[in-house]
Amino acid sequence: MVRNIGDADAVFAKGEKIQEADYYVPLLAHAAMEPLVALAEFKDGKATIWAPTQNPQAVQDIVSKELGIAKEDVICHVTLLVGDLGASRSRLRC
């Protein structure tokens, strides 16, 4: 069950009109239009990252925690990106 709204038993008990429908769509691949890749350089205790991310602040937080450095020492350059376009996946690939 993905979504459940209302009380079906109460509606059945009232004898009200009930409509049912099933909808099917084919499986579609969520293919990004930009490359799913990141490049990082760690030098002199600082990290510089280039990534097609919609959340550079999360990149900064995660990389700083993983490397044990200050957030100010992490720079994330956002490369050209198209957008999520409804794909249900994380855009962070660092």
Side-chain angles (χ1 to χ4, degrees):
M1 179 71 61
V2 175
R3 187 172 181 180
N4 186 3
I5 297 174
D7 185 351
D9 293 330
V11 173
F12 284 130
K14 290 180 184 178
E16 295 191 24
K17 185 176 180 181
I18 297 169
Q19 297 179 353
E20 293 185 36
D22 292 321
Y23 299 94
Y24 298 95
V25 294
L27 177 64
L28 300 173
H30 290 285
M33 295 169 72
E34 72 273 354
L36 296 178
V37 62
L39 175 69
E41 177 184 48
F42 185 65
K43 185 177 180 181
D44 299 325
K46 297 183 180 190
T48 305
I49 293 119
W50 293 264
T53 180
Q54 293 180 354
N55 193 347
Q57 294 81 10
V59 172
Q60 187 182 40
D61 289 339
I62 292 168
V63 171
S64 68
K65 287 176 187 172
E66 291 295 321
L67 295 179
I69 61 176
K71 285 196 288 188
E72 296 78 29
D73 290 333
V74 178
I75 297 172
C76 181
H77 299 283
V78 178
T79 60
L80 293 176
L81 59 131
V82 182
D84 197 356
L85 304 174
S88 58
R89 59 183 166 75
S90 171
R91 303 291 295 165
L92 176 60
R93 297 286 188 237
C94 292

